[in-house]
Amino acid sequence: MKNANKYSDYINYREALANTYIKLTEQKKLKIAYFGGSITCGGGSSGECWRTLFHKHMEEKYPNAEIEMINAAVGGTGSSYALYRLKEDVLEKAPDLVIIEYAVNDNYPGINDTATVEEYYESIIRNIYAHDPMTDIICVYTAHRFMDRNAFTSQAHDAVAAHYNINSVFFGQALLDFMAPDYKTNDEEWSKYYSDTYHPNENGYRVLVRPLIEFIDNALELPAGTKPAPKTILPDTLAMRVHPDPILYRANKLEHTAGWSIEGGNLVSDEVGAECSLRFVGNELTLYSRLSPECGMIDVSIDGGDFKRYDLYSFGLSERTVLADGLGGGEHNVVIRVAEDKNPKAEGRWIKLTALMVN
């Protein structure tokens, strides 16, 4: 390789990025989709972040190419929600290269585990290749203050990446290793590079992006005449199950009674008895909603059956709640109602629904 190898310990070079190479050097047009959470959004920085810094590098490196940025990042969400918004937010925009970042947002022990993370992450990979097998993918792994490259999410993501021969970069670990070794207890050192436990600041993002830039510069040193080949969707999956046809119903599109309001695409209410509903075709129904100390309970009825209660009180995140499985396909109806009861620890009955997800 002609370029630097300062960060080789953080990079797994696997397949050639032949599609990206051809788009840049011959067709002079490239679409890059940045698919992740708040660290991809640029949370913690009032200026540039790894996404914008990487994109700027690509534009400077290939000044004769038109390089389009698809910012498909949504803060506070992990790969389980990402799978269902993949089609609308990424695939329908026809990217040539997709960079996936979810290591921090998938890292919720007790809600996610290795099997669950692999299930959704691998489903993302397979759906990208099913849509366009020429698409290149890079998997990047972030890290927070009490997480490293051995975290179950980073390892689960990279197991999937290895299974499909996809390049990966542990750039979160590179940032942690750049800091003084006592960063976990040294607040002054930590604050030089992070704005909080999870999000780098401008200084941190400038360090974070370096391994990814080294990777792309090396990975695109390909011989003249390199031709891309379609990716293969392997018949054997790493995860116990995958989701080939995920369907997303955004909550603000649901039928609802008075008492609900639409806030930023979410359906929100704290009015006891307020209802929303959806008719859908599928076998499995999952709710994606806010789980926090302010949240109350919901009652859910499937196909006119008895209402079942779900407690959305938690420590503060957006995550999935499986409402029904094994429905056997066909058309179904779900009704969701704000319950009168709430967890004794809950600060209110606030319900914030983001989407219903169907398989």
Side-chain angles (χ1 to χ4, degrees):
M1 292 183 179
K2 298 179 182 179
N3 296 294
N5 286 289
K6 181 177 180 180
Y7 296 101
S8 58
D9 288 345
Y10 305 97
I11 300 170
N12 289 311
Y13 293 96
R14 293 178 176 130
E15 65 180 352
L17 294 178
N19 184 49
T20 302
Y21 172 79
I22 293 298
K23 295 288 183 179
L24 286 169
T25 60
E26 294 185 13
Q27 300 179 19
K28 308 296 185 181
K29 293 184 72 173
L30 178 73
K31 289 184 180 181
I32 307 175
Y34 299 84
F35 197 38
S38 58
I39 298 176
T40 298
C41 288
S45 169
S46 58
E48 294 183 313
C49 65
W50 77 264
R51 169 179 48 82
T52 57
L53 291 166
F54 178 80
H55 204 81
K56 181 179 180 181
H57 172 79
M58 294 295 287
E59 291 175 328
E60 292 174 349
K61 183 88 171 179
Y62 300 93
N64 296 322
E66 178 186 336
I67 305 176
E68 179 181 339
M69 177 191 294
I70 302 169
N71 182 4
V74 175
T77 65
S79 60
S80 59
Y81 181 50
L83 169 64
Y84 291 88
R85 64 182 187 85
L86 174 67
K87 180 180 178 182
E88 182 177 337
D89 290 356
V90 178
L91 301 183
E92 291 181 353
K93 298 176 182 178
D96 306 301
L97 170 64
V98 181
I99 306 178
I100 308 174
E101 173 272 312
Y102 283 109
V104 164
N105 282 7
D106 277 352
N107 192 259
Y108 288 107
I111 294 176
N112 292 334
D113 53 29
T114 295
T116 302
V117 169
E118 287 181 349
E119 173 185 331
Y120 288 101
Y121 201 77
E122 183 171 9
S123 295
I124 290 172
I125 301 299
R126 294 175 71 89
N127 277 275
I128 292 173
Y129 287 162
H131 179 81
D132 182 356
M134 304 304 289
T135 308
D136 285 333
I137 299 173
I138 305 170
C139 298
V140 297
Y141 313 130
T142 46
H144 59 60
R145 191 169 188 171
F146 304 104
M147 175 186 171
D148 59 25
R149 70 187 299 161
N150 294 315
F152 76 93
T153 48
S154 302
Q155 290 300 308
H157 291 175
D158 205 50
V160 172
H163 190 64
Y164 291 87
N165 202 36
I166 296 170
N167 301 292
S168 62
V169 182
F170 286 84
F171 65 176
Q173 186 65 51
L175 173 54
L176 296 182
D177 290 347
F178 180 84
M179 294 187 286
D182 65 345
Y183 66 81
K184 288 184 180 179
T185 56
N186 186 336
D187 290 344
E188 182 178 357
E189 176 67 11
W190 183 257
S191 64
K192 291 178 184 177
Y193 303 99
Y194 274 79
S195 64
D196 54 30
T197 301
Y198 305 98
H199 303 96
N201 57 26
E202 288 86 346
N203 291 333
Y205 280 119
R206 282 192 283 269
V207 177
L208 183 69
V209 76
R210 292 174 188 171
L212 182 58
I213 288 175
E214 179 177 295
F215 161 75
I216 200 70
D217 286 351
N218 286 332
L220 292 178
E221 287 286 346
L222 295 173
T226 296
K227 299 297 181 184
K231 313 299 191 301
T232 301
I233 301 177
L234 300 176
D236 296 327
T237 64
L238 185 68
M240 293 180 64
R241 67 172 183 170
V242 292
H243 305 280
D245 298 301
I247 302 171
L248 179 72
Y249 296 93
R250 298 189 186 274
N252 60 356
K253 304 297 185 182
L254 301 181
E255 295 288 335
H256 59 273
T257 64
W260 293 93
S261 61
I262 296 175
E263 298 180 6
N266 299 290
L267 202 57
V268 179
S269 179
D270 64 355
E271 184 175 311
V272 174
E275 291 186 351
C276 60
S277 62
L278 172 71
R279 288 193 176 276
F280 65 95
V281 174
N283 182 62
E284 177 183 298
L285 179 67
T286 303
L287 172 68
Y288 197 84
S289 68
R290 184 68 177 170
L291 309 179
S292 78
E294 296 83 19
C295 287
M297 298 181 179
I298 56 173
D299 293 327
V300 179
S301 171
I302 306 290
D303 295 335
D306 293 339
F307 280 89
K308 181 178 179 181
R309 183 153 293 175
Y310 296 86
D311 187 359
L312 302 186
Y313 169 85
S314 189
F315 52 86
L317 71 158
S318 293
E319 257 298 345
R320 68 198 178 281
T321 303
V322 177
L323 302 180
D325 198 358
L327 293 174
E331 186 175 82
H332 302 279
N333 183 67
V334 59
V335 176
I336 300 173
R337 176 192 299 163
V338 179
E340 181 176 1
D341 292 341
K342 66 182 183 68
N343 191 304
K345 299 178 182 178
E347 298 170 14
R349 292 187 177 84
W350 185 59
I351 304 297
K352 181 179 180 180
L353 310 181
T354 299
L356 286 167
M357 309 184 298
V358 176
N359 288 300

